[in-house]
């Protein structure tokens, strides 16, 4: 079930900083208390293959997100200790050394389970009809954009082999900010500086005629 338009879950999770400091982060509070947007992206597992390419891609674009008043947070179900080991592994050896945004360590699966992004097909117990949320469960590549009031305005979920396009999230943040500030709606393929529309039939017809 989609969570778009709803408040992000009010759940606090263990996390780690780039320096190895153990943290406790509540994503909803990060948005509301700091009056910032939050981009939260989940990846399946540390020390894997597509995952480090994504973490470095978000790091490379970190300045663009900061210019847009947006906090970036990564997340998986690995422990802080595993996160720290990966943070101290060189990029040319498959590591994420140089990543500076915090990483959630959702070892309890409380947040990922609330979001419905756990890959738990292999953990179904046919006898009891229950899902066994064991330590082997990982998440899909889920991404959430949360506004300053804690509302989710975008969510997407990729299967394991499919890496994300970081620029698309920048575009979505630009579009949502335009809606917030201008009161206009953003048509397909809209980018910052391009024409938007009023939410009525006359404006839509004029836009389609011109494009």
């Amino acid at each position: 079930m989609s969570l778009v338009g709803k408040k992000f879950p009010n759940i606090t999770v263990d996390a780690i900083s780039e320096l190895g400091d153990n943290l406790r982060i509540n994503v909803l509070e990060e948005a509301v208390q700091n009056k910032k947007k939050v981009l939260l992206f989940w990846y399946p597992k540390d020390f894997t293959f597509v995952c480090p390419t994504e973490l470095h891609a978000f790091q490379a674009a970190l300045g663009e997100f900061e210019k847009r008043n947006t906090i970036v947070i990564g997340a998986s179900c690995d422990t802080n200790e595993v996160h720290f080991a990966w943070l101290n592994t060189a990029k040319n050896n498959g590591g994420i050394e140089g990543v500076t945004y915090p990483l959630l360590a959702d070892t309890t699966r409380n947040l990922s389970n609330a979001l419905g992004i756990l890959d738990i097909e292999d953990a179904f117990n046919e006898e009891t009809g229950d899902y066994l949320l064991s330590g082997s469960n990982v998440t899909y590549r889920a991404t959430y954009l949360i506004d300053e009031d804690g509302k989710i305005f975008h969510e997407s979920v990729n299967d394991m082999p499919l890496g994300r396009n970081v620029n698309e999230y920048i575009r979505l943040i630009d579009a949502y900010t335009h809606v917030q500030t201008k009161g206009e709606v953003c048509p397909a393929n809209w980018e910052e500086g391009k024409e938007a529309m009023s939410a009525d039939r006359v404006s839509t017809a004029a836009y389609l005629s011109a494009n």
Side-chain angles (χ1 to χ4, degrees), residues 8-9 11 13 27 40 42 104 106 109-116:
F8 193 84
I11 297 174
V13 182
V27 174
L40 172 67
W42 294 80
L104 299 187
D106 186 30
R109 276 71 172 171
N110 286 340
L111 182 54
S112 51
N113 189 42
L115 295 171

Side-chain angles (χ1 to χ4, degrees), residues 183-194:
E184 296 180 314
V185 295
C186 298
N189 300 320
W190 183 91
E191 293 178 344
E192 183 64 43
K194 290 187 175 181

Side-chain angles (χ1 to χ4, degrees), residues 12-185:
T12 301
V13 182
D14 287 337
I16 194 168
S17 74
E18 62 172 310
L19 301 176
D21 297 322
N22 291 322
L23 309 172
R24 296 279 288 167
I25 290 179
N26 183 306
V27 174
L28 178 63
E29 291 178 356
E30 289 293 315
V32 174
Q33 293 182 2
N34 294 306
K35 284 298 173 187
K36 291 179 179 288
K37 294 181 176 67
V38 176
L39 183 149
L40 172 67
F41 73 97
W42 294 80
Y43 60 93
K45 198 168 183 61
D46 293 359
F47 290 99
T48 52
F49 318 111
V50 176
C51 298
T53 69
E54 293 191 308
L55 272 79
H56 285 296
F58 279 109
Q59 179 65 36
L62 194 59
E64 293 299 317
F65 288 110
E66 290 172 346
K67 284 194 296 187
R68 291 162 172 81
N69 196 41
T70 300
I71 300 168
V72 174
I73 301 173
S76 80
C77 297
D78 293 285
T79 65
N80 273 347
E81 290 77 14
V82 176
H83 282 339
F84 187 62
W86 206 25
L87 283 163
N88 282 279
T89 302
K91 182 178 180 180
N92 62 10
N93 197 30
I96 58 167
E97 186 177 37
V99 166
T100 61
Y101 47 81
L103 301 177
L104 299 187
D106 186 30
T107 56
T108 64
R109 276 71 172 171
N110 286 340
L111 182 54
S112 51
N113 189 42
L115 295 171
I117 57 172
L118 279 170
D119 175 19
I120 55 177
E121 287 187 9
D122 294 334
F124 186 71
N125 186 322
E126 294 183 356
E127 293 182 2
T128 65
D130 294 325
Y131 285 108
L132 307 176
L133 300 183
S134 68
S136 63
N137 301 135
V138 298
T139 67
Y140 293 106
R141 298 187 192 283
T143 313
Y144 297 87
L145 295 177
I146 303 131
D147 72 12
E148 298 87 346
D149 294 320
K151 184 183 80 173
I152 298 170
F153 66 92
H154 169 83
E155 66 176 339
S156 59
V157 183
N158 291 5
D159 201 354
M160 309 294 186
L162 306 176
R164 282 162 277 218
N165 183 335
V166 172
N167 289 330
E168 173 62 4
Y169 302 109
I170 294 173
R171 189 193 73 83
L172 287 167
I173 291 168
D174 285 343
Y176 190 77
T177 302
H178 185 91
V179 173
Q180 288 176 308
T181 58
K182 304 293 184 181
E184 296 180 314
V185 295

Side-chain angles (χ1 to χ4, degrees), residues 194-206:
K194 290 187 175 181
E195 180 184 1
M197 308 184 304
S198 297
D200 57 58
R201 294 180 66 180
V202 172
S203 181
T204 300

